[in-house]
Amino acid sequence: MRELFVREIHILLVHPIYIMCMVVAPLLITFFFTSLMDEGAPQNLPIGVVDLDQTTTTRKLTRMIDAFQSTKVVAHYTSMDEARHAIQKNDIYGFLLFPKDLTSDMLAFRQPKMSFYYSNTSLTAGSLIYKDMKTVCTLAAAGVGQGIMQAKGMTPEQIKATLQPIALDTHLIGNPWVNYNFYLSAMLIPNTIILLIFLVTVYSLGIEIKFRMRRENDRDNKGWLEMAHGDFGMAIFTKILPQTLVFICVFILVYSYLFGWLHFPHPGGFWRIVLLAFLSVVSAQGFGVFIFGLIPSMRMAMSVCSLWGVLSFSMAGTAFPVFAMDAPLQSISWMFPMRHYYLIYQLCILNTYPLTEVLINIFAMLSLGFLPLLVIKRIERAFVNYAYEP
């Protein structure tokens, strides 16, 4: 076993593709996503204004929405058609329309319509702009009502009770800062690393067939299976073990950067994060070996793993809840390591639930790690009989 272990370490060191996929790529991905969302949420999203009223009130409303953190007024248009074309050309994400005689109609209680239009092609940008524009419209109506109530001699407490009879007390659990970096990077980065684990695992097995390393002699003049003394299970385990150690170290390094340097919230404790890293690596490697056993072709197995890894971004439940999917998709989601990663991370690390709440997910990830036992004989037959075809 020691001789096999040294051989695999040598292969990892002399082939740059392993270093690139196992160390360099995860680190680059980490820096890319965290720097992309380093401000926490999109800021200064471009919007426009169509001011057909041209009064002090509309200019005040324009300055008000321009002062919001998420939006920035970058253009004024003379007509609605001009502003609509600007949205279609992606010059702006939305615009406010102040109709003619808006101010006079408001003061005369004629219920004027102040419209806003936004593009929801980008869900994040659309939701942020919608929130800011709706707030401005609400404040405009409240401002007129406040002025009239003051003229009638009402006290500030009476005005406040009339305009806002129910005060909302909002508590955001897990991510009270509404920081997209905390939410998205903590899921996108591990999912991408799991995808790389899929590919590296399949590649390391398929390359043995492609270059006939199992029959040719390496630098110690001993073949791969010969070093394992015919124990194919030991040969597979020893081939995967160095990669397991490297990926766990990479995960811990990435987590140290996210939760230590960038101070991502993790009230559940760092030791649970380390446990989650181990489970992620083991389940991803087990699934990769299982796919190679089902399809003992490096090209086809890597294609299936690529597809599975990409689907993980949706099946994890971060963007669309799994319980709202069709029943077959809910069942298939159990085969995605990222789905269990998300549940463990959300419950035990963000919300400090005990691990007993996610025992079924831990068991599922360990079960994915033991999937190769179901196809070990098939992989062995493939290594003995399969002829590589480019």
Side-chain angles (χ1 to χ4, degrees), residues 274-293:
V274 175
L275 174 63
L276 189 55
F278 170 77
L279 293 173
S280 301
V281 174
V282 170
S283 60
Q285 286 184 316
F287 186 82
V289 177
F290 176 71
I291 292 298
F292 185 80

Side-chain angles (χ1 to χ4, degrees), residues 2 26 102 157 163 170 212 255 278 354 382:
R2 180 179 177 276
L102 172 66
E157 290 75 15
L163 294 178
T170 305
R212 294 298 180 183
Y255 284 150
F278 170 77

Side-chain angles (χ1 to χ4, degrees), residues 317-366:
T318 56
F320 189 83
V322 173
F323 65 82
M325 298 180 183
D326 293 337
L329 294 178
Q330 294 184 33
S331 301
I332 295 174
S333 68
W334 285 87
M335 292 296 296
F336 288 85
M338 194 59 192
R339 171 59 180 165
H340 305 290
Y341 175 97
Y342 172 64
L343 291 175
I344 297 174
Y345 174 79
Q346 183 187 55
L347 292 175
C348 297
I349 297 177
L350 281 183
N351 295 322
T352 66
Y353 279 79
L355 291 176
T356 53
E357 296 291 333
V358 291
L359 283 180
I360 188 172
N361 301 105
I362 295 175
F363 177 76
M365 297 186 82
L366 292 176

Side-chain angles (χ1 to χ4, degrees), residues 190 250-260 270 273 276-277 341:
V250 169
F251 255 113
I252 294 176
L253 182 61
V254 169
Y255 284 150
S256 299
Y257 175 71
L258 295 179
F259 299 102
F270 194 79
I273 298 175
L276 189 55
Y341 175 97

Side-chain angles (χ1 to χ4, degrees), residues 131-284:
K131 181 186 68 174
D132 288 355
M133 289 184 173
K134 185 178 180 180
T135 301
V136 167
C137 294
T138 303
L139 293 176
V144 175
Q146 182 181 17
I148 295 174
M149 292 177 190
Q150 286 177 343
K152 291 181 177 180
M154 297 178 66
T155 64
E157 290 75 15
Q158 291 174 325
I159 294 174
K160 184 177 180 181
T162 303
L163 294 178
Q164 191 180 15
I166 298 176
L168 299 178
D169 190 10
T170 305
H171 298 273
L172 300 175
I173 300 174
N175 187 6
W177 310 273
V178 196
N179 190 311
Y180 283 80
N181 202 13
F182 292 167
Y183 176 73
L184 293 177
S185 293
M187 305 309 300
L188 292 175
I189 294 172
N191 199 19
T192 309
I193 297 177
I194 287 176
L195 172 59
L196 291 172
I197 296 174
F198 286 163
L199 298 178
V200 170
T201 301
V202 172
Y203 176 83
S204 63
L205 294 174
I207 209 70
E208 294 284 352
I209 293 180
K210 182 176 181 179
F211 294 112
R212 294 298 180 183
M213 289 182 178
R214 70 187 191 281
R215 294 178 181 173
E216 295 177 359
N217 293 334
D218 61 10
R219 61 190 181 93
D220 293 327
N221 296 321
K222 288 185 180 180
W224 178 47
L225 295 182
E226 183 181 350
M227 288 183 181
H229 305 290
D231 188 344
F232 193 77
M234 179 61 67
I236 294 291
F237 174 77
T238 313
K239 171 169 284 295
I240 299 300
L241 181 59
Q243 300 174 23
T244 305
L245 298 177
V246 173
F247 275 120
I248 290 176
C249 292
V250 169
F251 255 113
I252 294 176
L253 182 61
V254 169
Y255 284 150
S256 299
Y257 175 71
L258 295 179
F259 299 102
W261 182 264
L262 297 182
H263 303 291
F264 278 32
H266 57 289
F270 194 79
W271 71 270
R272 293 185 179 182
I273 298 175
V274 175
L275 174 63
L276 189 55
F278 170 77
L279 293 173
S280 301
V281 174
V282 170
S283 60

Side-chain angles (χ1 to χ4, degrees), residues 205-212 214-215 292 295-300 378-390:
L205 294 174
I207 209 70
E208 294 284 352
I209 293 180
K210 182 176 181 179
F211 294 112
R212 294 298 180 183
R214 70 187 191 281
R215 294 178 181 173
F292 185 80
I295 312 172
S297 168
M298 182 175 68
R299 180 176 55 192
M300 291 301 298
R378 181 177 174 84
I379 299 176
E380 185 175 3
R381 287 195 300 269
F383 270 81
V384 174
N385 303 318
Y386 182 78
Y388 177 80
E389 295 180 4

